[in-house]
Amino acid sequence: MRLASSISGLLHRLARWVPHPHRTGGDAPGAPGATPHWASSAKTGIGTSIGRESNLWFSLTHGIISEVFYPFVDSASIRGLGFVVTDRHEWLSDELHDADSTVDWLAPGIPAFRVRNRCRQGRYEIAKTILSDPRRSVLLQETEFQPLATADADLALFVLLAPHLDNQGADNSAWIDDFKGMPMLFARYREYALALACSVPWLDRSAGFVGRSDGRRDLEEHKQLAWHYQRAEHGNVLLAAEIDLAACDGRFTMALGFGRDEFDAAHRARASLMQGFVAARDKYVADWRDWQRGLNTLAGTPPHPQNLDLVSATVIRVHESKDFPGGIVASLSTPWGVAKGDQNKGYHRAWPRDLIQAVGAMLAIGRHEEARRVLFFLHVTQEADGHWPQNMFLSGRPSWDGIQLDEMAFPILMVDLARREQALEPDDLRSLWPMARKAASYLVSHGPVTPLDRWEEESGYFASTLSVEIAALLAAAAMADENDEPDLGILLRDTADMWNNEIESLLYVTDTELARAAGVDGYYVRFARPDQRRAARPAAGTVTLKNHAKGEGTFPVDEIISPDALTLVRYGVRAADDRRIVNTVRVIDHLLKVTTPYGDSWHRYNHDGYGEHADGSPFDGTGIGRAWPLLTGERAHYELAAGHRENAERLLQAMAAFANPSGLIPEQVWDTADVPEHQLFFGRPSGSAMPLVWAHAEYLKLRRSLGEGKVFDLPVHATERYRGGKVLAAVR
């Protein structure tokens, strides 16, 4: 089989010197190419080296490398690197679409991956090991191509690379050239460049515009690279090359280097190949194992084929910036990315809300250093008036310009939790007090009405925001006392008490049609409108919700329910057995609970529009909200607080079951009948973000809570003030 391949490869190399009827050269036609889009959000692996020498992150989907991020974790630089196989005559197979893929972690919790793609027609198999070079900004892929039948010994293998440098796909330039005698593929956008090198020769190379003159279209038409364009300037570009299989017996390594220009990128790619894949792999693994030694072991056995504790810790750590330590992006994915263009930057930004979830998770597993880094990052990025942007790039530059008051409150609570976990030194506490003080002052000046709730969609009074605001003010009051500001402490406590006393008058409704249908006298609504505060019933009237087609999203306010009401228990302002809470739980389950083959989950609220359409097509500004695994974790925390340990353990198992085979937990799971054409299956990940740092953080905190028999991150000051401290006793 290898002899036939060698002969075929030799003949093909000779044929390169014979004029081809389709062969062209020079600049590629068809600029600027088709409208660019991002890769699928269904990630099967994410990784980076643990050290700071390599400013590169990567993700995998459907058997190929999807986005690579450089030089920051919020800057996507490609949208795909994969293979196409042909017989050079009439048959073509794209591993992205035409192969079944399996993905395994290189070792437990080590974010490097073995990928095996097997052609569905049984003609070839491609095995890859993928990781980043820990010494430089280079992605390495060791590959073995194996024809599966003697008749297929002369199959040809082509690599396709889609540059999208600096979050931009529409204005890249691509070309083919050599560096120090080594043939490479190049691309550049403004001050960033990439270079793809291979340990064996390329037989052919070409650069083109997507959908017009690119290598994929060339292969589809000719089953080989008949076009041979040198450059494609300023557009949506694609690079293509054929691997010389005869020169390597099907085994080779590719190095994708990045830099400030093509010379930087090429230098790094060549250096990685010269130093060798094995050396990079061994250091990569050793560095991650050193980090793992600092993790606390959580009680109990993780109910997942992967060690989901270790996976979750690694997922959170992978999302952290290297140039701006403590900055953690929400996800290395773009929800419904295949339908999103350059204008959509995905979840590659830092949300203070998600950052704080990561702090809690790091404290739960004993990674105090990471927790301190995030708190310091928040201190650095706090605005002068005490607030944080709705989300931001890692430099602190605001991205979205909304205001969520829970994002001002959570950092205060995390400083308090870090202190209780003995993660802060006295100097840390002194340096963080100004941050907490400014955040508390902002809350007093602007609360309790929030311009945006935690789902970033509506303004008003929300249980999810009020509970965090109140708990944060009480924590800040204790800090004020410790820092010799007793008058400020009194003001903060008085404000917290005033807001706490208004919760029911604002948010608890009775004698509604929904209450009667659920068999209760009342329940907490999702929110009340600010303009109705002095009305007899603030949750009266109607509201037009986001993410609905025009004219289709108007509903009565008092019929909109959310599991967010359970944050009143999570953050210590109401008891789990409070009759009003128990009533609300019944209504939540009546409207929002979804029982899947993998366990129970919940919608964010009824009439949610953030999710796929009914036919499974991607969210496009409207849709239908699906079930969220992190809400399964939040419900488990409520069940634990209520003394229902078995329910909490069952929900932990459900949360783990919602993860994909790689152990990555999605933002949402599909909550209805299967739609195979969109790869949507009941209880499995939807097209939203995967993995979601927030979901993995909630999983780790739930594991810690179950291990201790009590809610790990329950605020002490609110609990003692409003609930007599009775839920602090361990539930066994």
Side-chain angles (χ1 to χ4, degrees):
M1 185 180 297
R2 291 300 185 190
L3 177 61
S5 177
S6 298
I7 295 172
S8 175
L10 176 62
L11 292 174
H12 185 65
R13 287 196 295 275
L14 291 172
R16 293 179 63 202
W17 304 106
V18 179
H20 192 284
H22 301 289
R23 191 174 301 281
T24 58
D27 294 342
T35 301
H37 294 95
W38 292 108
S40 168
S41 59
K43 307 307 180 189
T44 52
I46 59 167
T48 189
S49 66
I50 194 73
R52 297 184 60 185
E53 294 178 84
S54 175
N55 286 317
L56 180 149
W57 297 255
F58 66 90
S59 63
L60 312 178
T61 185
H62 296 89
I64 72 166
I65 296 164
S66 49
E67 288 95 349
V68 174
F69 300 82
Y70 169 87
F72 309 115
V73 70
D74 56 8
S75 298
S77 291
I78 75 167
R79 74 165 302 272
L81 174 64
F83 293 119
V84 169
V85 183
T86 79
D87 64 1
R88 293 201 183 93
H89 301 292
E90 59 183 10
W91 181 80
L92 177 146
S93 175
D94 184 341
E95 64 170 346
L96 176 65
H97 303 293
D98 303 321
D100 293 320
S101 179
T102 60
V103 178
D104 294 299
W105 294 66
L106 190 61
I110 306 295
F113 301 91
R114 293 191 181 98
V115 180
R116 190 170 297 276
N117 296 333
R118 187 179 181 89
C119 171
R120 295 194 185 105
Q121 296 181 31
R123 299 187 67 172
Y124 67 83
E125 187 170 272
I126 300 173
K128 315 173 186 179
T129 303
I130 301 167
L131 49 84
S132 58
D133 186 335
R135 294 183 174 89
R136 52 188 68 87
S137 298
V138 176
L139 182 69
L140 291 170
Q141 177 176 288
E142 187 181 56
T143 305
E144 180 179 4
F145 176 76
Q146 179 68 54
L148 297 179
T150 303
D152 289 325
D154 60 350
L155 290 177
L157 182 67
F158 303 86
V159 61
L160 300 179
L161 169 62
H164 273 49
L165 289 157
D166 197 22
N167 288 318
Q168 177 75 23
D171 194 26
N172 284 236
S173 294
W175 67 96
I176 59 175
D177 204 346
D178 294 356
F179 175 77
K180 311 297 183 183
M182 176 176 281
M184 296 190 188
L185 309 178
F186 292 93
R188 185 165 183 168
Y189 173 70
R190 294 181 180 173
E191 67 268 33
Y192 299 123
L194 63 78
L196 180 65
C198 189
S199 62
V200 300
W202 309 113
L203 288 177
D204 259 330
R205 292 174 288 165
S206 187
F209 294 102
V210 172
R212 306 292 188 269
S213 54
D214 67 277
R216 182 184 301 278
R217 182 172 178 180
D218 190 5
L219 292 172
E220 289 171 350
E221 292 186 15
H222 307 117
K223 307 304 181 285
Q224 58 184 307
L225 290 179
W227 303 331
H228 194 219
Y229 300 117
Q230 296 293 121
R231 302 187 69 87
E233 300 268 3
H234 302 298
N236 182 14
V237 296
L238 188 76
L239 288 156
E242 182 178 354
I243 307 291
D244 189 350
L245 293 173
C248 61
D249 201 32
R251 297 172 182 268
F252 58 93
T253 300
M254 293 193 303
L256 179 61
F258 293 85
R260 296 166 297 177
D261 57 31
E262 56 269 32
F263 296 97
D264 272 4
H267 180 113
R268 289 171 178 153
R270 188 175 190 223
S272 283
L273 288 179
M274 292 176 71
Q275 196 159 37
F277 182 86
V278 172
R281 181 199 63 198
D282 290 351
K283 178 171 172 52
Y284 187 97
V285 171
D287 290 349
W288 271 102
R289 283 186 170 149
D290 284 345
W291 180 80
Q292 289 177 355
R293 293 188 185 99
L295 300 176
N296 287 351
T297 300
L298 299 174
T301 302
H304 193 270
Q306 302 285 355
N307 182 334
L308 203 51
D309 292 355
L310 197 51
V311 167
S312 295
T314 300
V315 164
I316 295 170
R317 183 64 176 81
V318 164
H319 283 78
E320 185 180 357
S321 171
K322 299 180 184 183
D323 285 86
F324 304 102
I328 298 176
V329 297
S331 179
L332 288 176
S333 68
T334 299
W336 303 283
V338 293
K340 306 297 182 184
D342 285 349
Q343 75 284 357
N344 190 297
K345 306 304 182 187
Y347 283 2
H348 318 141
R349 282 161 290 190
W351 273 261
R353 171 199 60 204
D354 298 58
L355 281 165
I356 288 304
Q357 302 299 328
V359 172
M362 290 296 104
L363 291 172
I365 58 175
R367 289 302 310 187
H368 294 173
E369 180 183 349
E370 277 83 352
R372 287 193 296 269
R373 285 204 300 265
V374 177
L375 290 173
F376 183 72
F377 176 85
L378 286 166
H379 195 178
V380 171
T381 56
Q382 186 180 32
E383 300 292 339
D385 64 357
H387 86 279
W388 282 271
Q390 180 181 0
N391 59 39
M392 54 189 156
F393 296 99
L394 277 306
S395 62
R397 174 166 62 94
S399 179
W400 297 355
D401 59 3
I403 297 291
Q404 296 173 230
L405 289 187
D406 62 344
E407 292 191 320
M408 274 42 92
F410 271 126
I412 300 170
L413 289 181
M414 283 306 106
V415 171
D416 185 59
L417 180 61
R419 177 175 58 178
R420 285 190 276 131
E421 286 294 299
Q422 299 181 340
L424 300 176
E425 299 295 333
D427 287 347
D428 297 322
L429 289 169
R430 281 190 291 271
S431 67
L432 289 171
W433 166 236
M435 177 188 78
R437 190 186 194 283
K438 287 200 296 183
S441 297
Y442 191 92
L443 288 174
V444 172
S445 300
H446 295 81
V449 174
T450 181
L452 288 173
D453 68 309
R454 73 167 176 163
W455 305 120
E456 306 176 309
E457 293 179 0
E458 307 293 342
S459 64
Y461 301 96
F462 290 83
S464 57
T465 303
L466 276 164
S467 57
V468 180
E469 289 174 319
I470 293 165
L473 291 180
L474 294 176
M479 295 179 204
D481 292 345
E482 294 169 359
N483 285 275
D484 298 321
E485 296 192 53
D487 291 343
L488 176 59
I490 292 170
L491 171 64
L492 296 177
R493 289 188 183 91
D494 287 348
T495 304
D497 289 345
M498 179 176 63
W499 292 356
N500 179 67
N501 291 337
E502 291 186 335
I503 289 175
E504 278 68 40
S505 65
L506 292 169
L507 297 173
Y508 195 79
V509 300
T510 58
D511 193 30
T512 68
E513 183 177 340
L514 178 57
R516 289 188 288 274
V520 298
D521 62 13
Y523 49 85
Y524 291 101
V525 293
R526 181 186 172 216
F527 70 102
R529 301 186 307 175
D531 59 352
Q532 291 287 307
R533 177 173 181 173
R534 300 190 183 282
R537 189 168 180 165
T542 61
V543 63
T544 300
L545 300 175
K546 302 291 192 298
N547 303 324
H548 288 269
K550 188 174 182 180
E552 296 181 3
T554 301
F555 304 98
V557 176
D558 65 6
E559 292 182 7
I560 302 174
I561 311 303
S562 173
D564 291 356
L566 301 186
T567 60
L568 295 167
V569 177
R570 179 70 173 270
Y571 296 107
V573 299
R574 295 293 179 271
D577 60 358
D578 186 303
R579 176 185 55 82
R580 295 162 300 195
I581 292 289
V582 174
N583 285 346
T584 305
V585 167
R586 292 184 61 178
V587 178
I588 288 169
D589 289 350
H590 176 71
L591 281 182
L592 306 177
K593 182 178 178 180
V594 179
T595 298
T596 79
Y598 305 92
D600 294 338
S601 192
W602 284 263
H603 295 129
R604 299 189 303 173
Y605 56 90
N606 49 329
H607 310 303
D608 186 2
Y610 184 59
E612 287 91 348
H613 291 270
D615 63 358
S617 57
F619 172 78
D620 56 2
T622 67
I624 301 171
R626 306 298 168 181
W628 287 58
L630 71 87
L631 293 178
T632 298
E634 290 188 359
R635 177 58 175 267
H637 270 110
Y638 166 75
E639 296 292 339
L640 184 62
H644 308 147
R645 184 184 179 88
E646 290 185 2
N647 289 346
E649 290 176 338
R650 176 177 53 81
L651 292 171
L652 172 73
Q653 294 170 2
M655 195 175 186
F658 291 137
N660 71 2
S662 298
L664 305 184
I665 303 176
E667 179 181 61
Q668 300 180 44
V669 294
W670 186 244
D671 58 1
T672 187
D674 297 352
V675 185
E677 58 267 34
H678 287 291
Q679 299 182 340
L680 295 170
F681 303 94
F682 190 28
R684 306 313 301 142
S686 74
S688 57
M690 183 168 68
L692 187 68
V693 165
W694 185 355
H696 282 278
E698 181 67 10
Y699 178 84
L700 287 175
K701 289 187 288 183
L702 179 56
R703 290 275 290 118
R704 172 75 180 264
S705 296
L706 283 166
E708 295 182 345
K710 61 182 181 181
V711 177
F712 162 65
D713 56 358
L714 181 70
V716 171
H717 303 289
T719 303
E720 291 177 343
R721 193 169 186 86
Y722 301 129
R723 291 161 53 184
K726 66 179 181 179
V727 296
L728 292 178
V731 178
R732 298 295 181 187

